[in-house]
Amino acid sequence: MSELIQAILDSEEKSDLRSFISQLRQHEQNYLLRNDILNVFGEYCSKSQKPETFYTSSHLGKLIYYTQEIIQEDSNLCFIIRPKIASQEVYRLTADLDVEPMTVQELLDLRDRLVNKFQPQEGDLLELDFGPFYDYTPTIRDPKNIGKGVQYLNRYLSSKLFQDAKQWLESLLNFLRLHHYNGVQLLINDRIQTQQQLSLQVKKAIAFVSDRPSDEPYEQFRFQLQMMGFEPGWGNTAGRVEETLNILDELIDSPAPQTLEAFISRVPMIFRIVLVSAHGWFGQEGVLGRPDTGGQVVYVLDQAKNLEKQLQEDVVLAGLEGLNVQPKVIILTRLIPNSDGTLCNQRLEKVHGTENAWILRVPLRDFNPNMTQNWISRFEFWPYLESFAIDSEKELLAEFHGTPDLIVGNYSDGNLVAFLLARRMKVTQCNIAHALEKSKYLFSNLYWQDLEEKYHFSLQFTADLIAMNAANFVISSTYQEIVGTNDSVGQYESYKCFTMPELYHVVNGIELFSPKFNVVPPGVNENAYFPYTRTEDRVQEDRDRLAEILFTLEDPSQIFGKLDDPTKRPIFSMARLDRIKNLTGLAECFGQSKDLQEHCNLILVAGKLRVEESGDNEERDEIIRLYHIIDEYNLHGKIRWLGVRLSKSDSGEIYRVIADHKGVFVQPALFEAFGLTILEAMISGLPTFATQFGGPLEIIQNKMNGFYINPTNLEETATKILEFVTKCEHNPQYWDEISRKAIDRVYSTYTWKIHTSKLLSLARIYGFWNFTSKENREDLLRYIEALFYLIYKPAAKQLLQQHQHR
């Protein structure tokens, strides 16, 4: 990038740079983000009557395109440039157009001064740097391979196996010896003592089983295999055992990445899983739409059901039925004594449709009953997590009659609990963020002190740093969740380098090129959400009842608004009423477009109808705003607002009823980490318009099976929806075409079967990596513990003291 700057300075564009900087100085903001910079540059090009090519193709145009931020201080400008994904360069431009590179430390100091004129003295501020801990682990080189960590790790491990066969075969032998179930040895016994014996006995066992009928049950030749050194776990039939042993034989003789993955994925080593989802109202009925309760609850419940199903399949295929192996999945959450009619005060609840998946609710210790007996916002939850983890450990050990094999954290608080549990129990830890608040709230780290009373970001961002670095592997739903796009920073990437003024500087918060990152998108519950055309699976009474609720029922207690013409095409959206979900933005978009109102009605399923019914400040603000928009644009007769809580089956049917009426689904979030409602709408057959900010970019293929919108540009959004609607009016087959392609997209890519198979494969491979790598994680974990005890815990204690006076 320095060459590009030099090219500008060595050409006629130097005067353009000087003029552009002059225009920047007139800007009232000292801190400009990418959109601001592009707007100012656009204004400059227009005012200077530059040709269109100058904006995109000139050296200066390219520099501006790659510039993420510009900070003005005195006569200097700081350019923060992102020349490629997961990369950052920083330069200072002086008034004389001298250019000098800046260090990360200088940039963080500059940001501090911008906030509060605070000039850190040497030694004043804690500097966090996780970089050295990744120096001894393999790292990916090419940014396009970020998120494919397990593929890289398999290549790395198989190359090691090839280079130093003796050592790695010894590790493999020891790894195979590890596995037990309830005290019963699996895979190999003491008859195989050396790697040479392993290799010979594998070939002998292959010859033995290949002579038997491929469908012969394992139990009929179990004794003969045991005499050769092989215990249960290789397969349920002669054919399956032969297949597994052949993969191992190939791995021993000529290691290759796909062979390694194929073999380790079959190793029976995971039977007990904990899914931590700590905050919110976690239940199976009557909770969705409550504060902090939405997509994550749906995700975790569906994941638990499908993990249990996959584990049961794996047990059968491994030939372990004779040992009475019973996989168990526990969703760990908090118990809420004042449960408001839900089952959130019930300690143990079986997950519907499963044999051995449970919701285990552990109460918070009663520091102050006014707080701990009731729901607590995810932003206020931090003081209780350590004691919750300690108490949960005892409960989990009792429920499992032993330790779990895998702990999966969800969201920032659940990931911190997962770290604390995994550290104490020495178990593989997986993190799933769902959403990292840092990238959702603009300048949330820079102005954390102003936001602390409401959001407590100092605790949340510290918890994120702890959990993401401690995790053995991280699952994201999309690639851009990790490292963004060519012109936007990813959620994890935003933790790479940042400051929390007067608290700490993060010089290197996470290694984005670590193979711990894996993209594994979730599925959609195919029992509840399926195409509207599958009429044989739909219940006519439910269909009629929900159609009435959506379009005509008058019930002031849960429905606001009466439609003048219920036959108009419905624009539908369903989400919590909070600022990020931006349903009020969609209402305003609809209100500003008379043309859209001519063709369509707007129907929203969104939380509460009354301020006094909500205990969430953000929801209250959005309720007030939505009423204001309805009055301001006189949307009476054109909008329906349903403050209803839907069961899973009703939630699925409501999309299908909208599809019956040839409606569209709009997801207008200002930012969406993934977007489960998008999958639900698409699989139902609804043409879907979704935010271009976040995960939907990877779900929808624009104009093929859905459409991107910029929810901050209301006029453009209205135009896109209107164009689709008018096109469908002229050509009804167009709606059917987009509907069909949306359904196909979900079935080909976003099923829970794909997700759970991949997740369990990852858990086994990272378990193998931790065992064989001889990597000493203890230094990293001690560093993380220091951060927990010296930064997180004092702040949590301070917040707890505030809670005790409420």
Side-chain angles (χ1 to χ4, degrees):
M1 199 48 63
S2 56
E3 293 89 347
L4 183 58
I5 297 173
Q6 197 58 50
I8 296 169
L9 298 177
D10 292 342
S11 69
E12 294 175 359
E13 291 182 27
K14 183 175 183 178
S15 60
D16 290 307
L17 176 60
R18 196 182 297 278
S19 302
F20 173 64
I21 286 173
S22 175
Q23 189 162 323
L24 277 175
R25 293 195 195 289
Q26 295 165 28
H27 208 276
E28 57 187 30
Q29 293 171 267
N30 286 332
Y31 204 131
L32 284 85
L33 297 178
R34 190 169 187 274
N35 278 347
D36 306 318
I37 297 163
L38 290 172
N39 287 337
V40 175
F41 186 59
E43 289 166 15
Y44 167 75
C45 292
S46 176
K47 192 191 296 182
S48 307
Q49 298 183 320
K50 295 289 183 185
E52 277 186 36
T53 53
F54 187 84
Y55 183 86
T56 53
S57 303
S58 64
H59 292 310
L60 182 56
K62 288 174 183 170
L63 177 67
I64 297 305
Y65 174 81
Y66 290 119
T67 301
Q68 290 291 317
E69 303 168 28
I70 295 177
I71 304 173
Q72 299 187 55
E73 186 184 41
D74 303 326
S75 59
N76 297 330
L77 289 176
C78 169
F79 279 65
I80 296 119
I81 300 167
R82 190 169 175 262
K84 58 184 178 183
I85 281 174
S87 174
Q88 176 180 286
E89 297 175 15
V90 189
Y91 297 94
R92 181 187 287 113
L93 264 71
T94 68
D96 299 326
L97 295 192
D98 290 330
V99 181
E100 51 192 50
M102 291 175 64
T103 64
V104 169
Q105 286 85 348
E106 288 172 327
L107 170 62
L108 298 179
D109 285 345
L110 170 59
R111 285 174 171 159
D112 284 351
R113 290 196 299 275
L114 189 77
V115 172
N116 52 17
K117 307 301 177 193
F118 169 63
Q119 175 65 59
Q121 301 299 314
E122 190 176 354
D124 257 3
L125 212 57
L126 176 65
E127 197 171 88
L128 301 178
D129 185 358
F130 286 91
F133 299 107
Y134 292 94
D135 286 347
Y136 306 103
T137 61
T139 50
I140 292 163
R141 291 202 180 109
D142 191 336
K144 74 173 182 289
N145 290 326
I146 291 172
K148 300 175 183 175
V150 78
Q151 294 175 26
Y152 177 85
L153 199 55
N154 285 330
R155 286 198 301 273
Y156 178 83
L157 287 169
S158 56
S159 69
K160 286 281 189 186
L161 198 54
F162 188 78
Q163 290 165 15
D164 190 351
K166 192 168 188 290
Q167 182 191 328
W168 279 84
L169 283 173
E170 187 67 32
S171 296
L172 182 61
L173 175 65
N174 291 333
F175 179 71
L176 293 176
R177 281 199 186 110
L178 279 180
H179 305 295
H180 300 79
Y181 180 79
N182 284 352
V184 177
Q185 178 68 43
L186 303 179
L187 297 177
I188 61 172
N189 57 40
D190 290 342
R191 286 185 171 86
I192 297 175
Q193 292 288 337
T194 67
Q195 51 191 283
Q196 289 84 2
Q197 281 181 325
L198 175 64
S199 182
L200 287 170
Q201 294 301 96
V202 164
K203 292 183 191 305
K204 188 187 290 187
I206 290 170
F208 168 73
V209 290
S210 64
D211 285 340
R212 310 184 82 83
S214 64
D215 60 350
E216 183 180 348
Y218 166 73
E219 288 297 330
Q220 292 185 17
F221 55 88
R222 173 180 177 175
F223 179 71
Q224 290 95 321
L225 279 184
Q226 283 179 316
M227 296 302 290
M228 294 182 208
F230 297 99
E231 294 293 335
W234 296 96
N236 59 331
T237 63
R240 178 76 179 184
V241 171
E242 183 184 2
E243 212 176 83
T244 307
L245 288 169
N246 269 320
I247 296 170
L248 177 57
D249 189 44
E250 187 181 339
L251 182 64
I252 292 169
D253 289 345
S254 53
Q258 58 272 31
T259 316
L260 179 67
E261 181 168 7
F263 177 68
I264 299 297
S265 295
R266 292 187 177 210
V267 173
M269 55 189 281
I270 297 176
F271 306 105
R272 307 179 184 98
I273 299 176
V274 180
L275 307 177
V276 187
S277 183
H279 72 257
W281 301 84
F282 200 102
Q284 299 180 82
E285 297 101 7
V287 298
L288 293 182
R290 291 171 181 263
D292 292 349
T293 309
Q296 183 175 313
V297 172
V298 174
Y299 179 110
V300 174
L301 277 170
D302 286 346
Q303 188 185 56
K305 291 176 188 176
N306 286 279
L307 276 172
E308 188 211 31
K309 194 174 173 183
Q310 189 62 52
L311 286 172
Q312 288 169 339
E313 282 181 29
D314 291 349
V315 163
V316 170
L317 284 173
L320 299 179
E321 282 186 292
L323 299 181
N324 195 28
V325 173
Q326 295 180 323
K328 188 169 188 174
V329 178
I330 288 179
I331 299 168
L332 175 66
T333 189
R334 66 158 297 210
L335 185 144
I336 306 175
N338 296 335
S339 60
D340 192 26
T342 71
L343 294 179
C344 293
N345 61 345
Q346 193 176 105
R347 177 185 175 271
L348 206 57
E349 181 187 355
K350 194 173 186 181
V351 177
H352 301 330
T354 68
E355 290 179 29
N356 206 11
W358 303 83
I359 300 170
L360 172 65
R361 299 185 182 93
V362 176
L364 304 182
R365 293 185 190 173
D366 256 346
F367 296 99
N368 174 4
N370 290 335
M371 293 293 295
T372 52
Q373 298 283 309
N374 299 299
W375 167 83
I376 297 174
S377 161
R378 70 187 190 276
F379 295 116
E380 298 276 340
F381 200 35
W382 308 104
Y384 309 100
L385 296 182
E386 185 182 17
S387 56
F388 175 76
I390 292 166
D391 295 342
S392 296
E393 181 187 10
K394 297 169 193 165
E395 299 278 351
L396 289 168
L397 289 171
E399 288 299 321
F400 282 129
H401 303 294
T403 57
D405 304 306
L406 173 67
I407 298 176
V408 182
N410 291 272
Y411 192 72
S412 299
D413 49 24
N415 284 325
L416 187 71
V417 173
F419 155 69
L420 294 169
L421 286 170
R423 178 71 169 138
R424 293 169 66 90
M425 301 168 98
K426 295 181 171 49
V427 175
T428 302
Q429 176 196 347
C430 167
N431 276 18
I432 304 176
H434 295 288
L436 291 164
E437 305 283 354
K438 186 171 175 296
S439 47
K440 285 166 63 175
Y441 292 83
L442 200 59
F443 294 130
S444 50
N445 61 285
L446 206 54
Y447 295 99
W448 70 274
Q449 288 152 305
D450 299 336
L451 300 167
E452 189 70 356
E453 189 176 341
K454 187 173 183 181
Y455 293 115
H456 307 289
F457 284 141
S458 66
L459 281 156
Q460 181 148 14
F461 300 165
T462 305
D464 287 333
L465 285 171
I466 287 170
M468 67 177 66
N469 282 288
N472 297 106
F473 66 104
V474 175
I475 281 179
S476 72
S477 296
T478 61
Y479 171 81
Q480 63 176 303
E481 188 180 326
I482 310 169
V483 285
T485 63
N486 286 330
D487 49 18
S488 67
V489 173
Q491 291 185 59
Y492 282 97
E493 188 180 357
S494 72
Y495 284 77
K496 180 76 174 169
C497 159
F498 66 96
T499 175
M500 300 193 81
E502 298 190 69
L503 183 63
Y504 53 63
H505 281 172
V506 177
V507 174
N508 189 347
I510 185 69
E511 177 50 74
L512 300 167
F513 290 84
S514 166
K516 71 165 61 180
F517 285 105
N518 291 273
V519 177
V520 186
V524 63
N525 183 328
E526 294 171 48
N527 295 320
Y529 304 98
F530 54 83
Y532 78 104
T533 50
R534 265 172 47 189
T535 50
E536 69 278 9
D537 295 323
R538 299 176 66 182
V539 179
Q540 188 63 46
E541 291 82 359
D542 291 343
R543 192 173 176 174
D544 295 340
R545 174 176 55 84
L546 288 167
E548 185 185 8
I549 288 172
L550 282 166
F551 299 108
T552 57
L553 181 69
E554 293 186 34
D555 179 359
S557 68
Q558 58 179 354
I559 299 170
F560 176 86
K562 181 180 179 182
L563 300 177
D564 293 338
D565 182 1
T567 63
K568 285 182 181 177
R569 192 185 302 267
I571 296 171
F572 177 64
S573 194
M574 180 160 59
R576 296 190 312 276
L577 261 181
D578 63 28
R579 188 180 68 81
I580 294 295
K581 294 298 182 185
N582 192 38
L583 289 188
T584 51
L586 175 59
E588 189 161 17
C589 167
F590 183 71
Q592 288 180 7
S593 174
K594 294 292 182 189
D595 290 336
L596 209 48
Q597 294 168 38
E598 284 294 314
H599 294 267
C600 303
N601 291 316
L602 178 62
I603 300 176
L604 304 175
V605 175
K608 309 280 199 316
L609 295 181
R610 295 167 189 81
V611 171
E612 60 271 17
E613 291 173 355
S614 173
D616 183 79
N617 291 333
E618 209 169 270
E619 186 178 42
R620 288 194 195 109
D621 293 343
E622 290 296 289
I623 290 170
I624 293 166
R625 183 162 181 247
L626 188 48
Y627 280 120
H628 175 75
I629 288 165
I630 292 167
D631 290 338
E632 181 183 356
Y633 295 103
N634 191 23
L635 294 179
H636 302 282
K638 301 165 187 175
I639 188 171
R640 293 264 284 177
W641 170 9
L642 282 62
V644 295
R645 289 202 191 105
L646 299 170
S647 66
K648 182 72 71 72
S649 59
D650 278 358
S651 175
E653 186 60 26
I654 216 162
Y655 288 111
R656 293 188 286 273
V657 171
I658 295 291
D660 291 336
H661 290 73
K662 302 299 179 185
V664 300
F665 179 77
V666 181
Q667 207 277 25
L670 300 174
F671 178 83
E672 183 59 68
F674 182 65
L676 269 177
T677 55
I678 295 167
L679 292 186
E680 293 166 1
M682 288 174 72
I683 201 172
S684 304
L686 275 176
T688 298
F689 294 76
T691 180
Q692 67 187 36
F693 301 121
L697 278 181
E698 290 175 46
I699 299 174
I700 288 173
Q701 294 158 312
N702 195 34
K703 299 180 183 176
M704 287 176 57
N705 45 42
F707 304 88
Y708 303 147
I709 56 170
N710 178 349
T712 64
N713 189 330
L714 302 184
E715 186 179 347
E716 180 188 270
T717 296
T719 300
K720 284 186 176 180
I721 299 171
L722 187 63
E723 281 175 358
F724 175 78
V725 167
T726 51
K727 191 169 180 179
C728 291
E729 286 173 0
H730 291 112
N731 174 19
Q733 278 74 42
Y734 184 56
W735 189 96
D736 295 328
E737 180 190 335
I738 297 295
S739 170
R740 188 179 63 255
K741 288 180 177 175
I743 293 166
D744 292 345
R745 173 67 173 162
V746 179
Y747 278 125
S748 68
T749 315
Y750 298 102
T751 69
W752 279 111
K753 175 70 176 172
I754 297 169
H755 174 95
T756 50
S757 298
K758 186 74 182 289
L759 172 56
L760 291 173
S761 175
L762 289 172
R764 293 179 180 113
I765 289 160
Y766 284 93
F768 177 63
W769 159 247
N770 289 335
F771 178 79
T772 58
S773 66
K774 309 300 182 193
E775 175 195 358
N776 182 9
R777 279 169 43 89
E778 192 60 27
D779 50 358
L780 167 64
L781 292 169
R782 288 295 184 188
Y783 186 78
I784 287 170
E785 279 185 342
L787 186 56
F788 177 80
Y789 285 106
L790 299 177
I791 300 292
Y792 179 90
K793 206 167 169 179
K797 189 175 180 183
Q798 193 175 4
L799 180 56
L800 182 62
Q801 287 169 350
Q802 293 174 26
H803 284 188
Q804 286 174 318
H805 293 100
R806 289 187 187 177

